Amino acid sequence: MQDWYKIARQETDYILEAIKEQSFIKELMNGTLSKEVFQFYINQDAMYLAEYKKVLATIGVKCEHVDDTQFFLDSATGIINVENALHQIFLKDNQLAHEPSPTCELYTSYLTRIVANHSLEEALAAVLPCFTIYKEIGDYIHTNQSNKADNPYQDWIDTYGGEEFANSVNNAIIITNKYAANASEEVLQKMQTAFEKASKLEWMFWDSAYNKELWKI
């Protein structure tokens, strides 16, 4: 079977390397990221995930194989559980914001549009970076940090650097590769475009959080 993801990953390696160099990731890793910035990020992430889980559920309904449907429905449910756990840790008594930043709005709107109006293959490619990039960044931080005992963001890091999340990521890759194996060259190119664009939006999301992005008017 063609390993579509391996090719897509290689062609977007420059984005992952750029994410590793972001101030948000560097400061998160060494524990110096300001609480205000992380709070902004968690708020925006909550709004992103609220839409992302709907997108995953829609993809699940469109899948041909019952196991694939179940995976995406389980992933949508799992996001709710992860979201609630992280909010209890990091939000505590702070209220969630209810206005998505321009970048958050852009990212969720893009995913929703792809899932609603484009092929299942493109939709699978578009949602995959949220799985794969978080795993790779979680693993990267785990490998390179020296402050696991006293990093205030360790619970967040452990969530995405853990084995359970790795299993979900691997399943998402396997399913996407399976649908890519029967796709035309035209669809494969559209999948690559969707994967690359969503990967860029991952970079933009962390950048917007670090700068506490607001609407300019």
Side-chain angles (χ1 to χ4, degrees):
M1 183 185 292
Q2 172 191 3
D3 192 340
W4 174 84
Y5 170 69
K6 184 177 181 181
I7 297 168
R9 168 66 181 80
Q10 288 170 347
E11 293 189 3
T12 54
D13 183 66
Y14 72 99
I15 301 173
L16 189 74
E17 291 306 309
I19 290 172
K20 290 177 184 176
E21 293 301 314
Q22 284 185 301
S23 297
F24 186 101
I25 299 302
K26 286 184 171 182
E27 293 176 20
L28 182 76
M29 182 163 64
N30 62 31
T32 60
L33 187 68
S34 81
K35 290 180 180 178
E36 290 77 20
V37 166
F38 192 74
Q39 197 81 37
F40 186 96
Y41 163 78
I42 286 289
N43 270 278
Q44 293 300 319
D45 196 45
M47 286 181 277
Y48 169 85
L49 291 176
E51 298 304 315
Y52 186 67
K53 63 194 175 194
K54 296 176 192 174
V55 167
L56 293 184
T58 304
I59 288 177
V61 170
K62 291 186 174 186
C63 285
E64 297 171 20
H65 307 285
V66 65
D67 289 347
D68 301 342
T69 297
Q70 194 61 55
F71 168 74
F72 282 107
L73 294 180
D74 287 346
S75 295
T77 306
I79 282 174
I80 297 170
N81 296 333
V82 168
E83 189 181 328
N84 289 341
L86 289 176
H87 291 173
Q88 286 174 8
I89 294 167
F90 292 111
L91 284 174
K92 296 188 173 70
D93 296 328
N94 294 317
Q95 291 293 312
L96 275 171
H98 295 292
E99 182 176 35
S101 68
T103 296
C104 181
E105 187 90 60
L106 174 64
Y107 196 175
T108 57
S109 297
Y110 173 69
L111 294 180
T112 301
R113 179 172 64 82
I114 293 294
V115 172
N117 301 323
H118 293 248
S119 67
L120 173 60
E121 290 83 359
E122 279 181 80
L124 288 166
V127 299
L128 194 57
C130 190
F131 282 95
T132 58
I133 288 178
Y134 266 73
K135 179 191 178 297
E136 293 211 52
I137 293 301
D139 290 346
Y140 170 74
I141 294 175
H142 250 286
T143 301
N144 291 282
Q145 68 175 151
S146 57
N147 59 347
K148 292 179 183 177
D150 58 0
N151 188 318
Y153 307 116
Q154 198 62 41
D155 285 313
W156 184 96
I157 295 165
D158 291 343
T159 296
Y160 297 107
E163 187 176 339
E164 185 178 348
F165 186 64
N167 290 335
S168 291
V169 173
N170 289 335
N171 283 331
I173 291 170
I174 289 168
I175 292 170
T176 306
N177 276 341
K178 180 168 62 179
Y179 284 90
N182 298 314
S184 67
E185 282 302 318
E186 181 183 2
V187 170
L188 290 173
Q189 187 54 54
K190 288 179 178 178
M191 288 177 71
Q192 176 64 34
T193 299
F195 184 84
E196 186 165 10
K197 189 168 286 187
S199 297
K200 289 177 178 179
L201 284 161
E202 287 289 336
W203 183 97
M204 290 172 63
F205 195 90
W206 274 313
D207 181 69
S208 66
Y210 190 77
N211 293 300
K212 293 189 281 189
E213 179 189 54
L214 300 173
W215 294 85
K216 291 185 177 180
I217 190 168

